[in-house]
């Protein structure tokens, strides 16, 4: 036994007591700020508390400038003991739960709302234009990359995925297996934007976004907001919902420059944040019942499965394409709401929200039988930022 | 073909002085001989200098961006490992977008990024020979 697994080691002793989700997807005529306010109000109501009971607020947005810590005023919150903006891109949601838990454990505050919202989609504008329109042309060194047409996450992740394919023999059929399996989950998720089944043939026939990525390798774009309420496990037990404990967490920010040969595309920070989270939670991978991964691309889900250790490095392709492994009838319950590929793209709030729903046993038709331990993974930047949570229902 | 005109700033000025001469400048540590990426702030340490690279390298990874808008042809983009070691994220020209480009030997060419007087020459990479 190492020191970190002895009884003297830190235990979070916090829980997620509330989940608030606005209408998600092609929802027009509302701003990110409005989504954020509604999400917090819904999360408080879900927990069975008043908005005024919140004494800590962590905010984050997507590509919309949207709002900042001035959201406090929109929510009418006074005398907060914690207020900050958090930005770790796709790892933000897991980070916010971590910082909220630390603040509660230290006695700073009792009840923290963590909120994320965005409004990239505009009516009568193509979905694909939403993220393109967000950025102006780069300058300095980045202009050299940009003028080479390496401008979007699609292209950067495509380069990462191709490197994985070259190194390990990963194939597009294997990426497609993830898209097909997650769509099968999404058919049972009333919140999902894509609910019609997808075949491997349809996956291959979908247009190129940045080869080797087809359209169905890539996440959706969505408007909306999601918030969670974090409080002490003790207090959560007195509130309205089944307690979803925060058992452990980890982060990893590898800091690879991309300026010389490194593990770009081959290994992600999940290889570090995962073991850290499991260790804090005093659990092991074989005790994890449900896995909610950040899946901005099929490839991201695949490489994350490798890095968490669900299969050996380089064997992710064979693993995900093994009959009976993924999907609702599969051995490993991964991205049970359809993930960002098929349900909704709320950055790190997508895997976190589905994790909470499953852990509580509130997933309806898609509810998995065993849901005592749920692993949540966030991935931000171009594989630059990782956050992991282990949630539980003991 | 460069997608948009690129202009120098203080950090990139020396690199573009090089591309104007047809040189791909890397940084080198004179004490160790180590080659460093072009983005290295050479002015920050006395032992660093700018040295032209051979301009040759190999394709580490590539992706194909479909044509869009005025650009109807697909762009082949790549990570090239220069023979000196550093990586460079770039466009490949004169290659088959449907081909297997793994480990392809490539060489830098320099193209104007725009028609303007201040539009810098930028490197693209083409197959050797």
């Amino acid at each position: 036994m190492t020191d970190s697994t002895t009884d003297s080691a830190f235990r979070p002793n916090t829980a997620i007591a509330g989940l608030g989700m606005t209408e998600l997807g092609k929802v027009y005529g509302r701003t990110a700020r409005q989504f954020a306010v509604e999400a917090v109000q819904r999360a408080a109501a879900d927990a069975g508390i008043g908005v005024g009971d919140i004494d800590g607020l962590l905010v984050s947005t997507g590509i919309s400038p949207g709002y900042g810590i001035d959201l406090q005023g929109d929510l009418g919150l006074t005398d907060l003991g914690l207020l900050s903006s958090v930005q770790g891109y796709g790892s933000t949601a897991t980070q916010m739960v971590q910082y909220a838990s630390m603040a509660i454990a230290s006695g700073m505050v009792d009840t923290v709302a963590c909120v994320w919202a965005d409004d990239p989609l505009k009516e009568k504008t193509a979905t694909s234009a939403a993220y393109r329109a967000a950025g102006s042309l780069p300058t300095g060194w980045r202009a050299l990359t940009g003028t080479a047409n390496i401008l979007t996450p699609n292209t950067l992740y495509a380069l990462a995925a191709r490197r994985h394919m070259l190194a390990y023999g990963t194939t597009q059929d294997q990426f497609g297996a993830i898209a097909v399996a997650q769509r099968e989950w999404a058919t049972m998720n009333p919140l999902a934007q894509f609910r019609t089944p997808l075949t491997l043939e349809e996956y291959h026939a979908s247009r190129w976004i940045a080869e080797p990525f087809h359209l169905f390798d890539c996440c959706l774009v969505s408007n909306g907001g999601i918030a969670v309420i974090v409080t002490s496990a003790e207090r959560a037990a007195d509130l309205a919902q089944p307690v979803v404990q925060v058992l452990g967490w980890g982060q990893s920010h590898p800091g690879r420059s991309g300026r010389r040969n490194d593990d770009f595309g081959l290994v992600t920070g999940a290889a570090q944040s995962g073991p850290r989270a499991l260790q804090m939670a005093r659990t092991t991978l074989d005790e994890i019942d449900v896995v909610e991964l950040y899946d901005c691309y099929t490839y991201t889900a695949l490489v994350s499965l490798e890095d968490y250790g669900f299969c050996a490095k380089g064997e992710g392709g064979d693993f995900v394409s093994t009959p009976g492994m993924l999907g609702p009838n599969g051995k490993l319950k991964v991205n049970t709401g359809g993930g960002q590929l098929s349900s909704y793209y709320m950055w790190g709030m997508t895997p976190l929200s589905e994790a909470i729903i499953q852990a509580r046993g509130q997933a309806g038709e898609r509810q998995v039988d065993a849901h005592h331990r749920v692993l949540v993974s966030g991935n931000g930047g171009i594989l630059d930022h990782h956050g992991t949570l282990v949630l539980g229902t003991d | 073909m460069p997608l948009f005109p690129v202009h120098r700033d203080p950090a990139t000025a020396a690199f573009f002085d090089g591309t104007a001469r047809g040189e791909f400048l890397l940084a080198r540590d004179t004490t160790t001989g180590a080659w460093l990426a072009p983005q290295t702030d050479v002015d920050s340490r006395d032992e660093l200098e700018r040295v032209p690279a051979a301009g040759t390298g190999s394709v580490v990874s590539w992706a194909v961006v479909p044509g869009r808008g005025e650009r109807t042809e697909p762009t082949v983009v790549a990570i090239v490992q220069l023979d000196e070691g550093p990586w460079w994220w770039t466009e490949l020209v004169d290659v088959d977008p449907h081909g297997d480009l793994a480990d392809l030997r490539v060489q830098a060419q320099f193209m104007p990024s725009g028609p303007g007087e201040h539009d810098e020459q930028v490197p693209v990479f083409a197959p050797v020979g």
Side-chain angles (χ1 to χ4, degrees):
Chain A
M1 260 194 171
T2 64
D3 287 343
S4 57
T5 57
T6 63
D7 285 343
S8 62
F10 176 73
R11 288 171 188 268
N13 205 29
T14 56
I16 298 172
L19 170 65
M21 304 169 71
T22 70
E23 190 182 355
L24 305 170
K26 293 183 176 179
V27 186
Y28 301 117
R30 305 190 61 204
T31 65
R33 182 183 295 272
Q34 290 173 303
F35 286 128
V37 169
E38 184 190 334
V40 173
Q41 290 168 341
R42 282 176 177 255
D46 179 69
I49 62 173
V51 171
D53 294 328
I54 294 166
D55 61 356
L57 178 65
L58 296 175
V59 305
S60 183
T61 61
I63 59 171
S64 158
Y67 55 87
I69 54 176
D70 60 347
L71 196 72
Q72 176 185 11
D74 298 278
L75 288 163
L77 293 170
T78 56
D79 301 320
L80 292 177
L82 172 74
L83 174 64
S84 194
S85 174
V86 179
Q87 184 55 282
Y89 305 109
S91 68
T92 306
T94 59
Q95 287 193 30
M96 288 197 292
V97 172
Q98 296 173 22
Y99 301 137
S101 292
M102 284 186 255
I104 292 161
S106 75
M108 280 176 78
V109 284
D110 293 323
T111 305
V112 181
C114 308
V115 61
W116 186 97
D118 203 4
D119 58 1
L121 291 174
K122 307 300 176 198
E123 202 163 12
K124 296 173 184 166
T125 303
T127 299
S128 60
Y131 271 63
R132 273 209 310 279
S136 53
L137 290 178
T139 59
W141 289 107
R142 290 184 57 229
L144 274 157
T145 318
T147 200
N149 211 349
I150 304 175
L151 273 168
T152 69
N154 292 336
T155 308
L156 291 157
Y157 272 93
L159 288 164
R162 176 88 71 185
R163 189 159 194 236
H164 197 280
M165 296 168 80
L166 293 172
Y168 302 122
T170 313
T171 67
Q172 283 180 318
D173 272 352
Q174 293 167 340
F175 290 145
I178 292 174
V180 169
Q182 291 195 194
R183 182 63 64 83
E184 200 177 346
W185 279 113
T187 63
M188 297 185 288
N189 185 357
L191 299 173
Q193 286 176 244
F194 285 154
R195 273 177 279 174
T196 52
L198 177 72
T199 66
L200 195 59
E201 290 71 30
E202 288 166 331
Y203 160 84
H204 280 296
S206 67
R207 65 186 168 89
W208 291 118
I209 298 299
E211 192 178 342
F213 287 153
H214 287 286
L215 176 67
F216 292 135
D217 284 300
C218 305
C219 64
L220 294 154
V221 179
S222 312
N223 288 353
I226 296 180
V228 299
I229 303 290
V230 183
T231 189
S232 67
E234 189 179 34
R235 177 150 194 253
D238 293 332
L239 297 179
Q241 297 292 342
V243 175
V244 178
Q245 291 174 285
V246 182
L247 297 175
W249 61 70
Q251 291 184 28
S252 173
H253 308 270
R256 304 290 190 264
S257 70
R259 295 178 184 177
R260 60 177 48 251
N261 194 4
D262 60 25
D263 52 16
F264 175 75
L266 307 179
V267 182
T268 76
Q272 297 178 68
S273 63
R276 287 170 188 163
L278 292 167
Q279 187 176 42
M280 187 189 292
R282 294 163 173 76
T283 190
T284 52
L285 220 50
D286 57 4
E287 290 187 339
I288 298 294
D289 301 310
V290 185
V291 184
E292 303 296 349
L293 299 175
Y294 200 95
D295 57 327
C296 46
Y297 302 93
T298 51
Y299 151 79
T300 319
L302 186 151
V303 74
S304 298
L305 285 168
E306 291 179 351
D307 290 335
Y308 280 106
F310 289 102
C311 61
K313 177 49 65 183
E315 294 179 6
D318 286 339
F319 182 77
V320 300
S321 57
T322 299
M325 184 57 70
L326 302 186
N329 298 313
K331 188 176 162 195
L332 189 66
K333 307 301 185 191
V334 184
N335 291 356
T336 52
Q340 298 168 336
L341 297 173
S342 284
S343 69
Y344 45 86
Y345 186 52
M346 291 283 108
W347 291 21
M349 283 294 187
T350 300
L352 179 59
S353 56
E354 178 66 12
I356 296 164
I357 293 166
Q358 287 285 352
R360 287 176 173 179
Q362 297 174 344
E365 193 188 351
R366 70 183 189 283
Q367 179 63 48
V368 304
D369 293 335
H371 49 92
H372 291 300
R373 289 279 183 282
V374 185
L375 185 144
V376 186
S377 181
N379 161 67
I382 312 302
L383 308 169
D384 295 312
H385 309 289
H386 288 264
T388 306
L389 296 175
V390 177
L391 306 180
T393 57
D394 306 355
Chain B
M1 282 290 291
L3 198 61
F4 53 84
V6 173
H7 301 144
R8 65 180 55 204
D9 66 4
T12 55
F15 182 80
F16 287 125
D17 285 343
T19 61
R21 298 191 298 267
E23 293 177 349
F24 191 104
L25 292 180
L26 290 174
R28 191 164 60 181
D29 186 323
T30 56
T31 58
T32 65
W35 291 93
L36 304 169
Q39 298 93 334
T40 307
D41 185 0
V42 169
D43 299 329
S44 67
R45 285 159 51 197
D46 290 342
E47 65 270 30
L48 298 180
E49 62 178 1
R50 289 192 180 84
V51 182
T56 48
S58 300
V59 172
V60 172
S61 185
W62 79 97
V64 184
V65 183
R68 179 183 290 143
E70 291 179 7
R71 174 172 294 210
T72 55
E73 294 301 310
T75 311
V76 182
V77 301
I79 303 169
V80 169
Q81 179 161 327
L82 299 169
D83 288 340
E84 292 83 359
W87 280 12
W88 187 250
W89 302 58
T90 191
E91 177 182 354
L92 299 182
V93 297
D94 302 330
V95 294
D96 176 6
H98 309 295
D100 177 4
L101 307 179
D103 300 318
L104 181 72
R105 293 289 299 158
V106 291
Q107 182 156 24
Q109 294 180 357
F110 299 91
M111 303 180 74
S113 62
E117 183 187 351
H118 299 293
D119 299 340
E120 302 289 352
Q121 297 272 326
V122 298
V124 298
F125 281 75
V128 167

